[in-house]
Amino acid sequence: MSQRPSGYTRIERDLYETPEWVTEALLAQWPELAGTRVWEPACGTGKMSRVLEAAGLSVLSTDIEPRGYGEDEPGDFLRWTSMRCGAIVTNPPYELAQAFCEHALRLMEPRGGSVAMLLRTDFDHAKTRQFLFSGCPPFSKKLVLTRRIQWFEDSKGSPSFNHAWFIWDWTHQGPPTLAYGPSVP
């Protein structure tokens, strides 16, 4: 199956804000996140951070560029060397998705923490990324979204890609599970 053009110019630094329902679908399928301090390292204008906060989570929101959300300083996620959070939850820039996954896992391993990345559903198909999934003990769940994400509110056509939340948890034991959402409208 080939890609079809979206008709939209690519947004600089992949600033595609995650619709609220996408983060709500994650929260509905990941109750273990409750009470955890969460880091959103690609927060953009804060759309995902606001949903996490509304769910009662303490959220550290950063972005490579100051965009006017949160009190936290801007910074390049890939340059951070430590973090005092129990989970990293983000929609990473597409071109840096693998680097974000690898770095987040390195940061969370010593803390026994968790990582959730919003990625295309076929992200786990690539041979070069199999180490993140097959035989990767912290890989715990793939939450396939049963609705396609509409990245542009004024979009008239059907979205082209399917997405899923990929979740790694350094305290996870056993094989990963597969879930489907959203359970929210």
Side-chain angles (χ1 to χ4, degrees), residues 153-174:
E153 290 182 23
D154 65 343
S155 174
K156 297 195 183 359
S158 174
S160 301
F161 298 105
N162 296 304
H163 288 80
W165 282 103
F166 292 85
I167 302 171
W168 294 264
D169 180 349
W170 282 101
T171 65
H172 174 74
Q173 295 182 358

Side-chain angles (χ1 to χ4, degrees), residues 26-183:
L26 173 68
L27 292 169
Q29 292 281 336
W30 197 20
E32 300 86 356
L33 194 59
T36 305
R37 180 164 163 88
V38 176
W39 181 15
E40 211 296 43
C43 75
T45 62
K47 210 167 187 179
M48 185 182 298
S49 293
R50 284 189 288 279
V51 174
L52 295 168
E53 290 166 349
L57 297 168
S58 170
V59 181
L60 171 68
S61 301
T62 62
D63 199 277
I64 197 165
E65 291 187 19
R67 299 193 192 276
Y69 183 78
E71 303 169 12
D72 309 306
E73 292 184 27
D76 182 347
F77 171 67
L78 298 175
R79 294 183 184 264
W80 290 65
T81 58
S82 65
M83 182 42 53
R84 292 183 304 262
C85 288
I88 295 172
V89 176
T90 197
N91 172 7
Y94 180 73
E95 306 242 337
L96 298 174
Q98 182 173 333
F100 262 63
C101 291
E102 292 174 24
H103 191 62
L105 285 168
R106 276 193 302 274
L107 289 172
M108 290 292 103
E109 182 177 15
R111 305 192 55 75
S114 303
V115 174
M117 296 279 172
L118 179 63
L119 306 162
R120 290 184 184 170
T121 54
D122 63 355
F123 188 80
D124 56 347
H125 295 197
K127 186 189 300 187
T128 58
R129 294 191 287 258
Q130 280 304 295
F131 68 96
L132 293 169
F133 306 102
S134 179
C136 181
F139 181 55
S140 60
K141 184 182 271 189
K142 179 177 181 179
L143 169 59
V144 178
L145 299 176
T146 57
R147 289 173 40 197
R148 287 186 175 170
I149 300 171
Q150 189 169 348
W151 296 107
F152 305 97
E153 290 182 23
D154 65 343
S155 174
K156 297 195 183 359
S158 174
S160 301
F161 298 105
N162 296 304
H163 288 80
W165 282 103
F166 292 85
I167 302 171
W168 294 264
D169 180 349
W170 282 101
T171 65
H172 174 74
Q173 295 182 358
T177 60
L178 179 62
Y180 296 90
S183 58

